[in-house]
Amino acid sequence: LLIVVDYPEKRREQLTALVAALPDTAPVRLLMTARTGGEWLTSLTTHCREFRELLPDGVDGAIEPVPAVPPDPDTYDHVLDAYRHRLQTLRPGVTWAAAARKAGAPPLDPIRHGNVLTLHMEALGRLLSAADGSSVSTMDPAAVVLEHETRYWSGQAATVAGLNDRLPEKVLRRV
């Protein structure tokens, strides 16, 4: 069993309940895509025996911060182009080349774009916004990508699983 938890640093209660409910008989792998280490992990390992037992020794040292990088327009263009190519195969009905032109490049600054993850989120968020006909946003890149993910997964839950009639919007947004 593989369980993926995005933003575990914001899900302490959910992680505690999750690991308490795991079966003892089946092997489990827990992949946490955290943006930071530190207090949330220390608190979780201190207060949740089941979680602590899942972790290998020395896990605190396994979380390395993402190194800062100088925001480079060529790197941004390369990332935008890579997303354009990949999304063309996933959503072929969209003119991704036009969306990439509309997305353009924001003014890059070390505080907002000095991390490889935020540079990627900026490119993806701007490309998705341009493709959907939304204004290319200046809001937080993570918020833009999460908004698109929310719309996508809510749509999937509604159309594929038929959950739109059975689950309130608040629950769908958490799923």
Side-chain angles (χ1 to χ4, degrees):
L1 175 64
L2 172 64
I3 300 171
V4 180
V5 179
D6 195 20
Y7 285 105
E9 59 269 40
K10 296 181 179 186
R11 301 177 188 275
R12 180 177 163 200
E13 290 177 16
Q14 289 174 322
L15 278 168
T16 301
L18 171 70
V19 297
L22 290 174
D24 292 332
T25 56
V28 174
R29 296 207 183 255
L30 180 62
L31 173 63
M32 298 183 299
T33 54
R35 298 338 181 248
T36 63
E39 177 57 32
W40 72 270
L41 184 58
T42 302
S43 176
L44 196 57
T45 56
T46 301
H47 299 292
C48 181
R49 177 188 52 78
E50 295 91 351
F51 184 80
R52 191 171 47 252
E53 290 172 357
L54 285 175
L55 300 176
D57 292 336
V59 75
D60 289 329
I63 298 176
E64 298 291 329
V66 176
V69 294
D72 174 36
D74 291 335
T75 301
Y76 176 86
D77 290 343
H78 176 76
V79 169
L80 185 68
D81 194 51
Y83 278 125
R84 179 182 65 80
H85 280 290
R86 180 66 181 133
L87 289 168
Q88 186 64 52
T89 63
L90 297 173
R91 288 175 55 192
V94 174
T95 309
W96 290 103
R101 283 190 300 277
K102 181 179 177 188
L108 300 176
D109 70 82
I111 293 172
R112 182 172 167 138
H113 304 103
N115 166 312
V116 70
L117 180 60
T118 56
L119 189 71
H120 278 76
M121 283 192 294
E122 181 79 45
L124 180 58
R126 291 174 69 88
L127 184 59
L128 290 171
S129 293
D132 291 343
S134 305
S135 66
V136 177
S137 179
T138 57
M139 53 189 265
D140 175 38
V144 173
V145 172
L146 288 173
E147 178 184 314
H148 281 274
E149 282 186 20
T150 299
R151 283 199 314 266
Y152 173 79
W153 288 112
S154 293
Q156 289 296 305
T159 58
V160 175
L163 296 176
N164 58 332
D165 296 333
R166 296 183 295 196
L167 294 176
E169 179 65 26
K170 183 177 180 180
V171 173
L172 285 172
R173 289 182 63 80
R174 292 193 72 184
V175 173

